[in-house]
Each structure stands twice: as C-alpha cells, then as structure tokens.
Amino acid sequence: MFRRRTKSVDGPVTEEYLRGWLTDQLAARLDLPVPEIDPAKDFESYGMDSRAGMQISGKLEKLLERRLSPAILYEHHSINALVDHLMSGGDDDG
C-alpha cells in the first residue's frame, strides 16, 4: 500500500510541516489562495465535499505512512484539530 514514497520530508513529520502541508492541500483542492486558509476554521465552512476529503486523507495516509480512517477530516473538523490528533499518536486504523 505504501510502496510509492510521496514523503517529501527527511525524518519525522513535524507539527509545523503537517499544518503547512494540510493547508496547501486544502487550498489546492478547493482552488483557494493559501493565505485564505485558516487552520482553526472548520473544513465544512470551506464547502469541502467528500471527494476532496477522501483525496486529502489518502495523500495524508501516504505522507505519514500509516493507515488512517477515510473519514479522518470529518472526525477532526479543522486543520489544527487534525494536526493535534495526529501528533498525539491517535489511533486511526481504518
């Protein structure tokens, strides 16, 4: 499942890197400028659909090289909440 490495960071993924990566992904999927993404704002408030959520969660799974729930962006409603959960080592096996 994780054969193709998409990780673009050497060593462990930091909280800062993960927050920036998620901000970039959300901006790209929703065709918004990065400065318009507020990491404390709910994903739902951006009008993110399930397809975009699934695409981001799939890429996130590859980046972190660990199994995540496909609905992780709906279980943790903002970039900050998601990063806090992931950095705490939350169990997300899907």
Side-chain angles (χ1 to χ4, degrees), residues 23-38:
T23 299
D24 290 344
Q25 290 297 310
L26 189 60
R29 293 282 172 225
L30 301 177
D31 199 25
L32 292 171
V34 170
E36 286 187 23
I37 303 296
D38 178 354

Side-chain angles (χ1 to χ4, degrees), residues 50 53-55 57-58 61 67-75 92-94:
S50 59
M54 294 293 284
Q55 290 170 336
S57 67
E61 195 173 71
R67 193 88 156 122
L68 301 174
S69 164
I72 195 163
L73 273 72
Y74 296 100
E75 295 164 358
D92 296 306
D93 288 352

Side-chain angles (χ1 to χ4, degrees), residues 22-92:
L22 284 163
T23 299
D24 290 344
Q25 290 297 310
L26 189 60
R29 293 282 172 225
L30 301 177
D31 199 25
L32 292 171
V34 170
E36 286 187 23
I37 303 296
D38 178 354
K41 195 172 175 182
D42 285 355
F43 293 122
E44 188 175 289
S45 66
Y46 290 105
M48 186 176 70
D49 62 16
S50 59
R51 182 176 182 205
M54 294 293 284
Q55 290 170 336
I56 293 171
S57 67
K59 286 183 146 191
L60 180 59
E61 195 173 71
K62 289 178 183 174
L63 174 75
L64 298 176
E65 296 180 339
R66 74 186 232 210
R67 193 88 156 122
L68 301 174
S69 164
I72 195 163
L73 273 72
Y74 296 100
E75 295 164 358
H76 305 282
H77 302 281
S78 69
I79 290 172
N80 285 343
L82 180 55
V83 169
D84 289 347
H85 175 74
L86 292 170
M87 296 308 291
S88 73
D91 182 20
D92 296 306

